[in-house]
Amino acid sequence: MQIWNSLNEVPQDFGPCVVTLGNFDGLHRGHQEVLAQVRAEAAARNARSVALTFDPHPALIHRPESAPAQIMGLADKMVAMGDLGLDGVLVMPYSLEFAQQSPEEFVKSVFVDALGACAVVVGHDVRFGRGNTGDLNTMVGLGAELGFDVVVVDDEGHDRRWSSTWVREALGKGDVDTAAQVLGRRHSMSGEVVHGAARGRELGFPTANLSPDACGIIPADGVYAGWLVDADQHRWPAAISVGSNPTFVGVNRQVEAYVLDRPAEPVEAFDLYGQHVVVEFVQRLRGMVAYTGPEALIEQMHQDVLDSREILREH
């Protein structure tokens, strides 16, 4: 899959293309259905399949104080799109200046001139152009004028429409099971393993701490069974703690994973520091609890490990 970060990077002879547009935050099952339609249309027309997305998310530009947390980072989104079999993704830098384009200017410069669109795949609620004044009728009219077909994806037939909002709601409750159903895969975070307070090591449970700038929404505080995927793509079963650990004072909110089946070697020899890892959340075990002291916490952590092993045997 080719990735372009500006219109100038798109090869002049890349088209014709079947194109869709969206933020694709989380790349959930609704997005996957749209992209599957793009691929099918492209195959039928002997064309390339392309998605147009934006960075940063438009909400971060127009209303940064209320912009929703992003379910996944841009790099992870590109990997997921590549796994879906697209030929190309155009990542348009989003700014207030870019947002001032009229619907006609936007469609002509991006879809027609840069991508050579022979068809554009959209949902019934598509919005584009300055002030989101362009809608489905606008797109159909521009298609007739500029020479491309408009294919409308039917999103009926679900009790609730797949959405990024649904994923955020589920993760906010720690309901990673529902989030996985909407996403079509387990929710994950990715980032560098950094040094923490080494409190887990002192308690006998050394953990890999994700950097505070790790990509992906942090689910509700609690303990989860899941997986840690290291830089060599080895998948380790893990018990994952999310929160500030209320048993100890002055601990910032963090995500840390205790690898269950680490090699039988000194802790120092199993060194994940500095590695870029992925943490996948399978099931929430419990909420975060303040214990009376380290002994009670250690006892609970042993139980968390047993519970995690049992759950992960089924996954």
Side-chain angles (χ1 to χ4, degrees), residues 279-291:
V279 173
E280 296 180 359
F281 299 87
V282 173
Q283 186 173 318
R284 191 174 192 235
L285 303 180
R286 61 178 176 86
M288 196 60 71
V289 179
Y291 292 92

Side-chain angles (χ1 to χ4, degrees), residues 11 19 32 34 39 80 105 125 141 146 182 194 209 222 234 273 305:
V19 188
Q32 294 167 35
V34 171
R39 293 196 311 274
E105 291 170 333
D125 59 350
L146 299 173
V182 181
V194 298
N209 297 270
H234 187 100
Y273 291 125
V305 168

Side-chain angles (χ1 to χ4, degrees), residues 162-180:
W162 309 119
S163 71
S164 302
T165 298
W166 193 356
V167 176
R168 294 190 191 95
E169 289 176 358
L171 293 176
K173 301 173 184 176
D175 185 359
V176 293
D177 298 296
T178 295

Side-chain angles (χ1 to χ4, degrees), residues 270-302:
F270 184 64
D271 186 5
L272 296 174
Y273 291 125
Q275 285 195 32
H276 188 90
V277 303
V278 175
V279 173
E280 296 180 359
F281 299 87
V282 173
Q283 186 173 318
R284 191 174 192 235
L285 303 180
R286 61 178 176 86
M288 196 60 71
V289 179
Y291 292 92
T292 54
E295 294 78 12
L297 176 59
I298 290 172
E299 183 179 351
Q300 180 61 61
M301 292 170 76
H302 280 292

Side-chain angles (χ1 to χ4, degrees), residues 144-167:
E145 176 185 340
L146 299 173
F148 61 83
D149 297 329
V150 176
V151 179
V152 181
V153 176
D154 184 5
D155 58 5
E156 301 295 329
H158 303 298
D159 293 335
R160 179 177 179 181
R161 183 183 180 192
W162 309 119
S163 71
S164 302
T165 298
W166 193 356
V167 176

Side-chain angles (χ1 to χ4, degrees), residues 77-290:
K77 186 191 300 184
M78 293 301 100
V79 171
M81 283 186 162
D83 290 342
L84 292 175
L86 292 174
D87 293 312
V89 176
L90 173 57
V91 183
M92 286 297 299
Y94 195 88
S95 64
L96 290 176
E97 180 181 4
F98 178 83
Q100 288 306 305
Q101 294 180 95
S102 69
E104 294 78 10
E105 291 170 333
F106 168 72
V107 168
K108 186 176 187 305
S109 64
V110 179
F111 290 170
V112 179
D113 295 343
L115 295 172
C118 60
V120 175
V121 178
V122 294
H124 290 276
D125 59 350
V126 64
R127 291 285 178 174
F128 59 98
R130 182 168 52 240
N132 277 337
T133 52
D135 59 13
L136 178 58
N137 290 331
T138 310
M139 188 70 78
V140 171
L142 289 171
E145 176 185 340
L146 299 173
F148 61 83
D149 297 329
V150 176
V151 179
V152 181
V153 176
D154 184 5
D155 58 5
E156 301 295 329
H158 303 298
D159 293 335
R160 179 177 179 181
R161 183 183 180 192
W162 309 119
S163 71
S164 302
T165 298
W166 193 356
V167 176
R168 294 190 191 95
E169 289 176 358
L171 293 176
K173 301 173 184 176
D175 185 359
V176 293
D177 298 296
T178 295
Q181 292 174 28
V182 181
L183 289 169
R185 65 184 182 283
R186 299 185 188 102
H187 174 63
S188 64
M189 298 182 62
S190 65
E192 182 180 344
V193 176
V194 298
H195 289 274
R199 188 167 284 114
R201 181 178 302 184
E202 295 170 2
L203 297 174
F205 295 88
T207 59
N209 297 270
L210 281 187
S211 169
D213 61 359
C215 294
I217 289 182
I218 302 176
D221 288 2
V223 176
Y224 298 79
W227 301 92
L228 183 145
V229 185
D230 65 21
D232 295 325
Q233 300 304 301
H234 187 100
R235 297 173 61 82
W236 301 94
I240 306 161
S241 173
V242 176
S244 57
N245 197 336
T247 302
F248 301 96
V249 178
V251 179
N252 294 324
R253 192 165 190 255
Q254 57 192 24
V255 177
E256 47 187 325
Y258 170 65
V259 173
L260 305 186
D261 295 330
R262 59 191 308 126
E265 57 190 23
V267 171
E268 294 77 9
F270 184 64
D271 186 5
L272 296 174
Y273 291 125
Q275 285 195 32
H276 188 90
V277 303
V278 175
V279 173
E280 296 180 359
F281 299 87
V282 173
Q283 186 173 318
R284 191 174 192 235
L285 303 180
R286 61 178 176 86
M288 196 60 71
V289 179

